[in-house]
Amino acid sequence: MALIVAKFGGTSVADVERIERAAAKVVREVKAGNKVCVVVSAMSGVTNQLVGYCGEINKLHDTREYDVVVSSGEQITSGLMAMALQKQGISARSWLGWQIPFKTTDQHGRARITDVDAELLLERLNDGEVCVVPGFQGVTEAGRISTLGRGGSDTSAVALAAALGAERCDIYTDVDGVYTTDPRVVPQARKLKTISFEEMMELASLGAKVLQTRSVEIAMKKGVALQVLSSFEDHIGSDLPGTLVVNEEKIMEEELVSGIAFSRDEAKVTILRVPDVPGVASKVFSPLAKAAINIDMIVQNVAADGKTTDITFTIARADLERAIKTLEDAPDLEYEKLITADDVAKVSVVGIGMKSHSGVAEKMFATLAAKGINIQVISTSEIKISILVEEDYVELAVRALHAAYGLESGAA
Ligand code: ADP
Ligand code: ASP
Ligand code: MG
């Protein structure tokens, strides 16, 4: 007998019929002798609609109220899932984030889980009940509802699995595992049997939304066995049909490149002709940090004239307006001109094998050159190389790189 957390994403609970199908999988796990805690997302499209309503009232709305609104989608599916389980003869009960509680920080809209109290759920699970929990939501110290950022139900599920000491956390979604790249963009993408936490974390943070980055971070830290699998196929999690996210040591053969991620959620800012003197970078980036704008890639040119230089950096597209305003208002920051672009995208090549092999970057640049794709910014880490390109070229770049690194199914 194992204790399992089973999370169903938005498309897996998109309507009543799908909720009943998801419930049937839970029933099979229970009948196999397992204790199951279910985490549900909102029905697909619902969170987007709720976010839209908030924006219609006020683009700069109160984030506390935003959380009250957007957390509601998961409340609906929790109750419906419990009912569907009951209908199939299973004792089930739903518990909202504040009832458990899922304690979080007070950064509304992107709160982080600080503690999950497993006591109540463990008691119920030991009594033979299936517990249903809404993903994405928690409660702050002040007792207000919070949400964990888009895609946050993955993080709820993993944090819960860690708190319960679960044997496994199954993430049921609309693809049957983690692929070498988004299979919706590259149909030849290959499903991975296993992927290391480190690589999965890079892929997620670079745009592969199959798992929220924070969920992988917690799974790695707490040693949660994590599986991504399809809710539309006949298997259940205990058949282990999906992709297992595991420790690096468990990967038999380290691929040079294991995956390609991309993100359209990018914007580029260039500040022309700032004085090339100590302290300028701080004058640029301190006000942005104070405005809670995360900076991703940064390039500073050499000062060709010995006096001024240009600084380029990238941020999330949603932060562009605020970044412009922040820089325009920055105290004693001198520059000639601010140039911005929101039609850019980031493409990243990820692989643990890069730690010990060279030539990955060279192949990336040659492949893009052959397709006539201009690279605007480059950044690297130990296991990834990212480049910024014009958004129109993102899919072409991903397909070309996927082929160049031999990642297609059927390739060696
Ligand atoms: P859910 O609603 O179940 O949480 P998401 O839409 O958040 O599902 O995540 C699943 C989606 O992630 C897939 O439909 C796929 O398009 C996308 N995706 C991006 N990169 C990858 C990848 N490398 N492997 C698998 N899916 C990926
Ligand atoms: N419903 C939330 C969202 O769409 C959380 C999730 O599905 O993971 O972002
Ligand atoms: Mg998701």
Side-chain angles (χ1 to χ4, degrees):
M1 177 187 274
L3 199 169
I4 296 162
V5 171
K7 178 252 170 180
F8 293 92
T11 41
S12 311
V13 292
D15 54 36
V16 166
E17 193 192 325
R18 288 197 185 170
I19 291 176
E20 294 199 298
R21 254 201 278 163
K25 287 190 184 292
V26 176
V27 173
R28 280 166 65 196
E29 290 286 9
V30 172
K31 297 228 159 118
N34 298 313
K35 295 178 189 166
V36 189
C37 201
V38 182
V39 175
V40 284
S41 286
M43 292 179 179
S44 68
V46 166
T47 310
N48 284 346
Q49 190 181 32
L50 297 170
V51 171
Y53 290 151
C54 297
E56 274 179 48
I57 298 240
N58 184 353
K59 275 208 170 9
L60 294 174
H61 44 252
D62 180 336
T63 51
R64 283 169 179 73
E65 300 310 334
Y66 166 92
D67 278 350
V68 172
V69 177
V70 302
S71 61
S72 63
E74 273 75 6
Q75 174 163 345
I76 297 171
T77 43
S78 297
L80 292 173
M81 174 60 80
M83 284 181 200
L85 288 163
Q86 289 167 359
K87 184 172 154 188
Q88 294 179 45
I90 297 283
S91 163
R93 184 62 63 213
S94 68
W95 302 94
L96 296 181
W98 61 269
Q99 288 173 300
I100 296 168
F102 265 80
K103 293 193 189 138
T104 75
T105 59
D106 61 4
Q107 298 145 295
H108 285 275
R110 53 191 172 97
R112 286 165 81 93
I113 296 173
T114 51
D115 184 47
V116 180
D117 191 340
E119 200 179 331
L120 166 83
L121 299 182
L122 279 173
E123 208 175 284
R124 293 294 182 132
L125 289 164
N126 288 332
D127 283 347
E129 208 168 79
V130 170
C131 300
V132 183
V133 174
F136 188 47
Q137 58 170 253
V139 61
T140 66
E141 200 69 47
R144 293 213 59 94
I145 291 180
S146 53
T147 63
L148 308 177
R150 299 306 306 269
S153 296
D154 298 327
T155 302
S156 309
V158 173
L160 187 57
L164 293 170
E167 266 77 5
R168 205 178 58 246
C169 181
D170 286 332
I171 305 286
Y172 285 94
T173 183
D174 57 0
V175 282
D176 61 355
V178 178
Y179 279 71
T180 45
T181 193
D182 189 337
R184 293 187 202 289
V185 169
V186 183
Q188 299 84 356
R190 178 166 45 90
K191 182 176 145 187
L192 301 166
K193 260 188 127 56
T194 54
I195 184 166
S196 70
F197 284 117
E198 221 179 337
E199 287 168 313
M200 190 63 241
M201 211 146 77
E202 286 281 5
L203 285 175
S205 71
L206 295 166
K209 68 167 187 165
V210 62
L211 286 172
Q212 199 195 36
T213 313
R214 180 88 181 117
S215 72
V216 189
E217 212 174 295
I218 297 176
M220 180 157 120
K221 201 158 119 200
K222 307 272 175 150
V224 175
L226 188 59
Q227 175 176 221
V228 174
L229 73 164
S230 165
S231 69
F232 302 128
E233 292 182 351
D234 194 40
H235 301 285
I236 55 169
S238 292
D239 300 332
L240 299 183
T243 299
L244 292 167
V245 190
V246 296
N247 279 321
E248 190 182 335
E249 307 86 68
K250 292 210 180 127
I251 307 251
M252 303 295 275
E253 252 181 87
E254 287 182 353
E255 306 273 349
L256 188 56
V257 167
S258 52
I260 296 174
F262 58 91
S263 161
R264 292 189 169 90
D265 177 28
E266 308 289 326
K268 183 178 73 165
V269 178
T270 300
I271 314 176
L272 286 181
R273 293 181 164 270
V274 288
D276 188 31
V277 293
V280 164
S282 164
K283 279 186 191 166
V284 171
F285 295 114
S286 304
L288 292 166
K290 279 199 196 105
I293 294 169
N294 279 331
I295 311 295
D296 182 12
M297 305 160 120
I298 302 179
V299 221
Q300 181 177 331
N301 287 344
V302 286
D305 60 3
K307 294 190 195 110
T308 61
T309 182
D310 305 334
I311 296 178
T312 294
F313 60 90
T314 65
I315 52 178
R317 208 173 277 180
D319 288 339
L320 183 57
E321 293 303 318
R322 261 184 332 122
I324 294 171
K325 175 104 182 57
T326 305
L327 289 171
E328 284 173 351
D329 295 349
D332 40 84
L333 172 63
E334 292 168 36
Y335 58 89
E336 190 182 287
K337 202 171 168 195
L338 210 57
I339 303 173
T340 62
D342 64 359
D343 57 348
V344 290
K346 185 170 65 172
V347 178
S348 309
V349 169
V350 173
I352 276 191
M354 273 186 228
K355 280 186 190 173
S356 48
H357 291 78
S358 55
V360 176
E362 189 273 322
K363 183 174 263 185
M364 185 174 199
F365 304 150
T367 305
L368 296 169
K371 294 283 177 197
I373 300 172
N374 186 39
I375 300 173
Q376 302 185 7
V377 185
I378 303 169
S379 81
T380 61
S381 80
E382 212 181 12
I383 67 163
K384 74 119 208 272
I385 305 167
S386 297
I387 49 131
L388 198 72
V389 297
E390 199 178 305
E391 188 178 4
D392 286 348
Y393 293 106
V394 64
E395 295 199 1
L396 178 63
V398 171
R399 286 198 200 100
L401 291 169
H402 194 265
Y405 291 108
L407 295 175
E408 301 104 324
S409 49

